[in-house]
Amino acid sequence: MKATKIAKRAGGNGLRIWEPWFALLCLPLLLGAMLDSARAQGLSSHAITIVVPYSPGTGPDVIARNIGEELQKRWNQAIVIDNKAGATGNIGTQIAARAAPDGHTLLMTSNPFTTNVSLFSNVPYDPIKSFAPIIGLGAGALALCVHPSVPANNVKEFIAYARLHQGELNYGSPGIGGPHHLAMERLKQVTHIDIRHVPYRGSAGATQDIVGGHVAGGFLSLSIAVPLARSNSLRILGVASKERVRTAPELPTLAEQGIDGVEAELWFGLLAPAGTPREIIARYNDAINGIVREPHVIELAAKQGIEIRGGTPDQLAEFLARDIATWRAVVKEAGIKAE
């Protein structure tokens, strides 16, 4: 038979063997089908953007990059981390709220997402109505710390000391309206002590002045406090969490020491614009719940003092509503206004 014939018979079984030139014609179709199959693992051929309304290197940014890297591997889809810092997270959050609800833009956020609505008179988003929760990713514990010169080895001794010196002691925090500030204001409300707030621009200044003895103490991230406590630069009196922290199980909680109602942490959550289809939310939730169970992801987060969690969209929704109510009451009683 001539090579120009489309096919030739092989043996007597009636099978046809296609000529090379015909196989080449079919190759683009085959490659296209393979590409479509790979894309089917993700949402589409377009990149997914995770908006982080804070600076690079912050807790939400670190978590977003860890999750984004793993999701990119699983879905074979480009993930872009877009830092839009400013106005205590309001700028980036507004950008995410106004994005198309198609699953290609997400928001990685933290505490200001729920507290800003109480601190600012005009917030450009509604934390409940503007977003669809996907998953709570984890939290970092806060610890009540004092300078070694303060004569207190536990929370009750500190409260007693503060009551003897009402209005005389100062405490530092990384800024007005932040979780460290609000945690101490809640402690003041629960224990009826009067200790003055000294706000700093970031954790470094507050930490330095606690270590230097310029302020009596304050709440610090446990990941910052533990190394300083081990070097006797400060003393940790208790942790503001429901249960003891796995990375520092020797430290008692405030509740264990009889101080109830003071629970504060640096939490992290992932959300999508309101109106994002439920099936897309479910796909993200399923994939990321798998990611947060990976040992190396847990280890990376632990190095930042973050305990990875996971869970359902409904669990995150319930947490957000509860967090808004808790800190709204604290802000109102303390008369706190963001600057």
Side-chain angles (χ1 to χ4, degrees), residues 205-219:
T207 303
Q208 289 171 5
D209 273 13
I210 293 173
V211 171
H214 302 295
V215 293
F219 278 94

Side-chain angles (χ1 to χ4, degrees), residues 5 14 19 48 71 105 112 116 134 177 214 218 231 243 251 264 267 288 298 301 333 336:
K5 289 185 177 180
E19 295 286 0
I48 294 168
L71 193 61
T105 302
N116 280 356
I134 295 175
H214 302 295
S231 65
E243 301 174 350
L251 296 174
W267 60 264
I288 297 173
I298 296 172
E333 183 174 341
I336 302 169

Side-chain angles (χ1 to χ4, degrees), residues 44-240:
S44 71
S45 60
H46 302 297
I48 294 168
T49 298
I50 302 178
V51 177
V52 179
Y54 312 105
S55 303
T58 56
D61 178 72
V62 172
I63 291 291
R65 293 180 188 280
N66 288 344
I67 296 299
E69 182 178 347
E70 293 299 318
L71 193 61
Q72 183 166 299
K73 292 177 183 176
R74 293 186 177 218
W75 284 4
N76 192 31
Q77 187 166 358
I79 309 290
V80 177
I81 308 301
D82 189 9
N83 296 93
K84 295 292 186 183
T88 320
N90 285 342
I91 292 176
T93 304
Q94 181 183 31
I95 290 172
R98 293 179 174 178
D102 57 7
H104 288 88
T105 302
L106 308 178
L107 175 72
M108 179 69 71
T109 193
S110 187
N111 300 62
F113 180 76
T114 51
T115 57
N116 280 356
V117 291
S118 299
L119 294 165
F120 291 88
S121 58
N122 186 22
V123 175
Y125 66 90
D126 184 308
I128 301 299
K129 297 179 181 179
S130 301
F131 290 93
I134 295 175
I135 188 170
L137 288 165
L142 292 178
L144 177 61
C145 306
V146 294
H147 184 263
S149 65
V150 175
N153 292 303
N154 55 57
V155 177
K156 286 191 173 181
E157 289 179 359
F158 174 71
I159 299 305
Y161 179 70
R163 284 174 178 164
L164 286 175
H165 300 274
Q166 289 281 40
E168 298 176 14
L169 304 179
N170 297 327
Y171 77 92
S173 86
I176 294 175
H180 311 72
H181 176 205
L182 297 181
M184 183 62 88
E185 290 301 315
R186 179 59 178 160
L187 179 66
K188 288 169 58 178
Q189 293 168 6
V190 168
T191 60
H192 307 291
I193 59 173
D194 182 12
I195 176 170
R196 296 189 301 266
H197 180 217
V198 179
Y200 294 81
R201 292 193 173 184
S203 296
T207 303
Q208 289 171 5
D209 273 13
I210 293 173
V211 171
H214 302 295
V215 293
F219 278 94
L220 295 176
S221 299
L222 195 61
S223 58
I224 293 175
V226 167
L228 293 171
R230 287 173 179 165
S231 65
N232 297 317
S233 298
L234 54 73
R235 188 180 303 121
I236 299 175
L237 303 183
V239 181

Side-chain angles (χ1 to χ4, degrees), residues 302-325:
K303 290 180 180 178
Q304 300 292 325
I306 301 168
E307 182 180 325
I308 289 289
R309 292 176 181 170
T312 68
D314 286 344
Q315 287 174 326
L316 178 56
E318 291 169 3
F319 168 79
L320 294 176
R322 188 168 61 249
D323 210 51
I324 291 169

